[in-house]
Amino acid sequence: ACLIQQVPGDGCRRHYHATKAEFWIILEGSFDWILEHEIINAKAGDIIRLESCEVHKIICTSSEPAVRLAIGAKGMEHIYV
C-alpha cells in the first residue's frame, strides 16, 4: 500500500499492470481515472478497482491537493503506454 498526494491537475502517465489487479481508496479530494473507453470520477470515500491489463491514467481534479491510498502487489510492474 502507498499513500499518494497530488496537487490539482497532477497525475500519472498512462500505464497498466500485466499480472495484478490494483485498487485505491480516495481519502481526500477527487480524481479522474481515464480508461480506454470510460472516465471514472471518484471522490473521498470512493473505492476504485481495476483488473490487470486495464490501461489507466489518474488525474487530481480537486481544487486542493487530494490523497488516495493505492493498494497492489509488492513490486508490481508499471508498463507505460
Side-chain angles (χ1 to χ4, degrees):
C2 174
L3 274 177
I4 301 168
Q5 180 184 46
Q6 291 176 300
V7 297
D10 194 17
C12 65
R13 296 182 297 169
R14 288 184 60 205
H15 68 280
Y16 66 95
H17 312 283
T19 60
K20 303 291 182 189
E22 183 177 26
F23 71 95
W24 303 265
I25 302 169
I26 313 309
L27 301 176
E28 296 177 11
S30 61
F31 294 91
D32 276 355
W33 267 256
I34 302 168
L35 309 178
E36 289 293 316
H37 303 288
E38 176 183 16
I39 296 176
I40 299 172
N41 308 110
K43 63 186 181 322
D46 289 345
I47 298 172
I48 303 293
R49 183 181 190 278
L50 295 182
E51 294 294 332
S52 63
C53 296
E54 285 193 72
V55 176
H56 56 283
K57 176 179 180 176
I58 306 167
I59 304 232
C60 175
T61 57
S62 298
S63 58
E64 300 288 329
V67 178
R68 59 191 157 98
L69 177 64
I71 302 169
K74 185 176 182 173
M76 188 164 55
E77 77 293 330
H78 287 68
I79 300 168
Y80 294 98
V81 294

